[in-house]
Amino acid sequence: MTSSEMKETKRQKVNKLPLYNNCNFDGYDSQKLMLQTEKLRNLITKRGTFEMLIPLCCTINPLRYKQFRELMKGISSKTLTRRLKELEKDGILERHAYNEIPPKVEYKLTKKGQELVESIFNLIHWMIKWS
Amino acid sequence: MTSSEMKETKRQKVNKLPLYNNCNFDGYDSQKLMLQTEKLRNLITKRGTFEMLIPLCCTINPLRYKQFRELMKGISSKTLTRRLKELEKDGILERHAYNEIPPKVEYKLTKKGQELVESIFNLIHWMIKWS
């Protein structure tokens, strides 16, 4: 490969999306990556969101409000309710209301949500390892 | 395997740490996982921390303050400085000050930091995919 061909390949590498899985971002443009991840980055890094993913890692069953509530002592009910709405609005959780007395509401991961939860396993393992 | 042996295995599964990599947390105790990840969860979900990891994904070279500064427009200088100190204190970044005029300071990932960055690749891929 000539010197200019190598430069072309590197430029292409920088502009292309990396392959999903088994591909790091070395050489990728930081600014571009910042922009590409902005919307979901803002959602995931909001206070309480990551905490909500923890119980969702631990079961394939739907979860009820109170199950999140019990685990997330440092988060206000108002914030928790708001996060649940946002995660539903952003297509990460599905909400199911059952016509029972008393009423029952469950939250279940969508496909997008399931992939999110799977994508944080390594991060959680890192936290356990280095704690 | 008898019924009581199966229960014992499940109890063991719930109490044991999952294998690093290729292992999900299904059946794991949420409260335990919350506690195990608490300290590093609090660090990683702090405002600005995740953003700082983005440029650290894109290069193996050390970074200077101004490189973080340019990418993180919505974060105050005070917060950025504080995060850099915290990441250094928590053993994720190493700080190197060069005795030059003008003085030069670089930040480089430690082993712990490198593993952190690698652990978020899947999450970043998820953000790109679903944006």
Side-chain angles (χ1 to χ4, degrees):
Chain A
M1 209 185 265
T2 67
S3 165
S4 55
E5 280 169 354
M6 281 176 75
K7 280 188 189 165
E8 186 56 43
T9 304
K10 172 107 177 151
R11 242 198 326 277
Q12 284 171 353
K13 180 182 178 190
V14 163
N15 290 332
K16 261 196 178 140
L17 279 178
L19 295 170
Y20 198 93
N21 283 333
N22 297 325
C23 191
N24 63 29
F25 295 90
D26 189 29
Y28 206 77
D29 184 85
S30 304
Q31 201 134 29
K32 188 179 172 86
L33 197 52
M34 265 313 198
L35 284 169
Q36 277 176 309
T37 56
E38 185 173 13
K39 181 166 164 282
L40 287 169
R41 213 179 354 98
N42 289 340
L43 175 69
I44 300 307
T45 58
K46 266 186 176 177
R47 190 159 174 273
T49 305
F50 195 87
E51 282 68 25
M52 291 171 72
L53 298 179
I54 301 274
L56 290 165
C57 289
C58 296
T59 179
I60 55 169
N61 296 324
L63 292 175
R64 300 183 66 174
Y65 176 88
K66 62 180 185 180
Q67 288 169 288
F68 289 109
R69 175 73 273 159
E70 274 160 17
L71 279 168
M72 294 169 63
K73 300 276 192 286
I75 310 284
S76 72
S77 299
K78 185 179 170 186
T79 301
L80 177 53
T81 303
R82 191 183 298 160
R83 290 292 169 267
L84 285 167
K85 278 200 167 86
E86 287 164 355
L87 291 178
E88 190 194 349
K89 178 166 171 283
D90 273 290
I92 288 165
L93 289 179
E94 276 168 2
R95 183 181 180 276
H96 294 281
Y98 293 85
N99 226 356
E100 298 174 3
I101 308 291
K104 182 167 103 173
V105 175
E106 288 181 339
Y107 294 89
K108 193 177 166 72
L109 288 167
T110 61
K111 180 173 193 291
K112 177 179 178 180
Q114 187 59 43
E115 288 185 12
L116 169 59
V117 158
E118 287 164 10
S119 81
I120 64 165
F121 287 158
N122 285 348
L123 177 53
I124 295 175
H125 279 298
W126 176 86
M127 290 176 177
I128 293 173
K129 177 180 176 180
W130 291 97
S131 272
Chain B
M1 210 184 265
T2 67
S3 167
S4 55
E5 279 169 356
M6 281 176 74
K7 279 187 189 166
E8 185 57 41
T9 305
K10 171 106 179 156
R11 241 198 328 275
Q12 284 172 351
K13 179 184 177 189
V14 163
N15 291 333
K16 260 194 181 149
L17 278 179
L19 294 169
Y20 196 94
N21 281 333
N22 296 325
C23 193
N24 63 29
F25 296 89
D26 189 29
Y28 206 76
D29 184 85
S30 303
Q31 202 135 29
K32 188 179 172 86
L33 197 52
M34 265 314 198
L35 284 169
Q36 277 175 311
T37 56
E38 184 173 15
K39 182 166 162 281
L40 287 169
R41 210 177 358 97
N42 288 339
L43 175 68
I44 300 307
T45 57
K46 265 186 175 177
R47 192 159 172 274
T49 305
F50 195 86
E51 281 69 24
M52 291 172 71
L53 299 178
I54 300 273
L56 290 164
C57 289
C58 296
T59 178
I60 53 169
N61 296 326
L63 293 176
R64 300 182 66 174
Y65 175 87
K66 62 180 184 181
Q67 287 169 288
F68 290 108
R69 177 71 273 157
E70 273 161 18
L71 279 169
M72 295 168 63
K73 300 277 192 284
I75 311 285
S76 72
S77 298
K78 185 178 171 187
T79 302
L80 177 53
T81 302
R82 191 182 298 159
R83 291 291 170 269
L84 284 167
K85 278 200 167 88
E86 287 164 356
L87 290 179
E88 190 193 350
K89 179 166 170 281
D90 272 292
I92 287 166
L93 288 179
E94 276 169 0
R95 181 180 181 279
H96 293 281
Y98 293 87
N99 227 356
E100 299 174 1
I101 308 291
K104 182 167 102 172
V105 175
E106 288 180 341
Y107 294 90
K108 193 177 165 72
L109 288 168
T110 61
K111 180 173 193 292
K112 177 179 177 179
Q114 186 60 43
E115 289 185 11
L116 168 59
V117 159
E118 286 164 12
S119 81
I120 65 165
F121 287 158
N122 285 346
L123 176 53
I124 295 177
H125 279 298
W126 175 86
M127 289 177 177
I128 294 173
K129 176 179 175 179
W130 291 98
S131 271

